[in-house]
Amino acid sequence: MNQTQSSSPALTLARQVLRIEANAVSALAERIDGSFDAAVALILSRRGRVIVSGIGKSGHIGRKIASTLASTGTPAYFVHPAEAIHGDLGMITRDDALIALSNSGEASELLTIVPIVKREGAKLIAITGNAASSLAREADVHLDAGVAQEACPLNLAPTASTTAALALGDALAVALLDARGFSATDFARSHPGGSLGRRLLTHVRDVMRAGEDVPAVVPEASVADAILEISRGGIGMTVIVSPQRQVLGIFTDGDLRRAFAQNIDLRGLTIGEVMGARPRCIGPDKLAVEAVEMMEQFKINQVPVVDDAGALIGALNMHDLFKAKVI
């Protein structure tokens, strides 16, 4: 069956499409020049936003480019050229930059709005497949996204040309991201609902247990009392603290099992005599993902949370981090 599939007409055509589109992007990488630098500089110089416009397949690509720009530190939105000539031109101001996409460079809807946009004072970046087109001539900066052929067997349906335009838009967004010093934390702020947002925006104080939910005993407490506190807390440990709440040690259900395995007689002992001294602790302003990394590195499941003076203010375990979807 695999042999039949590997030589099917559909697979042969699919491989051809992918090669044509890959070659289109590869050729674009070799052809890119100072115009790209000029486009980046133009956008960085504008005080307003980037407006992206295009019609048909170029419009779909334009929407994605606008979305990528907006999520990587360059405020942007898409305006449909047909809607623009019926009132949406009011969205574009003299402080903006317009990125207009058209493979032919002759889309009448775009050519209708371009003179009005330029008279308003906005700057124009054109992405076309024809450097001699009307749109390219009107542009302050022209980016050539031309391709040798479409991947469509009829050489008609926009395929390689839209892939090239999309890749060029991604390159522009990433170059602007780098120029602005946009960080992973900045990216997370615009994606608070995603897993990256949770990882980079959630701090220990957001997920830790606090107040009466933190199991703690003094070192003079009996082991029996400490075990009851472990059960009450429900996180598999109790912290041993001084009267000033300074963390002195920790005793976990794992420590209890090991004591039983070693036939240690815990009767009559205080928890201070069997606790693990100098436990790993974390601060409340650390990222929750840092707590995960600490737990994984030292193979622990619970960690006390302390303030700058080393006083106990909270605690968390791996289940708390799972619940917060940090991991």
Side-chain angles (χ1 to χ4, degrees), residues 302-317:
Q302 311 91 354
V303 60
V305 182
V306 298
D307 62 17
D308 292 339
L312 181 69
I313 59 172
L316 55 81
N317 70 359

Side-chain angles (χ1 to χ4, degrees), residues 3 5 8 16 38 42 67 89 103 161-162 192 233 255 281 283 295:
Q3 181 64 31
Q5 289 179 338
S8 72
Q16 180 181 343
L42 186 154
S67 177
L89 271 175
N103 187 43
S161 59
T162 49
D255 293 327
C281 299
M295 291 178 180

Side-chain angles (χ1 to χ4, degrees), residues 88-326:
D88 283 2
L89 271 175
M91 297 179 180
I92 305 174
T93 74
R94 62 179 297 108
D95 296 322
D96 297 332
L98 171 66
I99 298 178
L101 291 93
S102 170
N103 187 43
S104 69
E106 301 295 342
S108 59
E109 295 86 352
L110 283 174
L111 293 175
T112 298
I113 69 172
V114 161
I116 303 169
V117 169
K118 294 191 71 174
R119 279 200 300 271
E120 181 65 28
K123 296 297 183 181
L124 173 63
I125 298 171
I127 298 179
T128 81
N130 182 2
S133 65
S134 301
L135 187 60
R137 291 196 302 270
E138 288 288 338
D140 296 289
V141 178
H142 174 248
L143 298 179
D144 182 5
V147 298
Q149 67 178 115
E150 296 289 5
C152 166
L154 304 175
N155 200 32
L156 295 175
T159 46
S161 59
T162 49
T163 299
L166 178 60
L168 190 55
D170 285 344
L172 192 59
V174 172
L176 289 163
L177 173 154
D178 182 69
R180 297 182 192 279
F182 193 79
S183 67
T185 301
D186 296 322
F187 187 87
R189 290 194 185 100
S190 62
H191 297 76
S195 61
L196 178 63
R198 286 191 293 271
R199 286 175 61 85
L200 294 181
L201 297 179
T202 303
H203 292 81
V204 168
R205 68 168 65 255
D206 300 322
V207 295
M208 72 181 191
R209 305 182 187 210
E212 293 299 318
D213 292 330
V214 181
V217 295
V218 295
E220 295 79 19
S222 67
V223 173
D225 287 339
I227 293 171
L228 290 174
E229 186 68 357
I230 291 174
S231 298
R232 185 195 69 81
I235 59 173
M237 73 157 185
T238 185
V239 185
I240 294 85
V241 296
S242 71
Q244 294 77 36
R245 300 287 287 180
Q246 297 293 124
V247 173
L248 304 176
I250 189 175
F251 190 76
T252 69
D253 51 7
D255 293 327
L256 180 62
R257 287 194 300 273
R258 284 185 287 274
F260 283 144
Q262 296 169 18
N263 293 318
I264 297 175
D265 187 357
L266 298 175
R267 292 172 296 180
L269 295 179
T270 67
I271 196 63
E273 295 176 282
V274 295
M275 70 181 184
R278 296 184 296 277
R280 304 283 176 182
C281 299
I282 196 167
D285 295 322
K286 293 290 187 180
L287 290 172
V289 69
E290 293 181 84
V292 175
E293 292 168 357
M294 174 189 290
M295 291 178 180
E296 291 177 343
Q297 179 182 356
F298 297 106
K299 296 180 172 56
I300 56 178
N301 293 317
Q302 311 91 354
V303 60
V305 182
V306 298
D307 62 17
D308 292 339
L312 181 69
I313 59 172
L316 55 81
N317 70 359
M318 196 67 81
H319 293 296
D320 298 321
L321 298 165
F322 274 117
K323 186 176 179 180
K325 297 182 179 179
V326 175

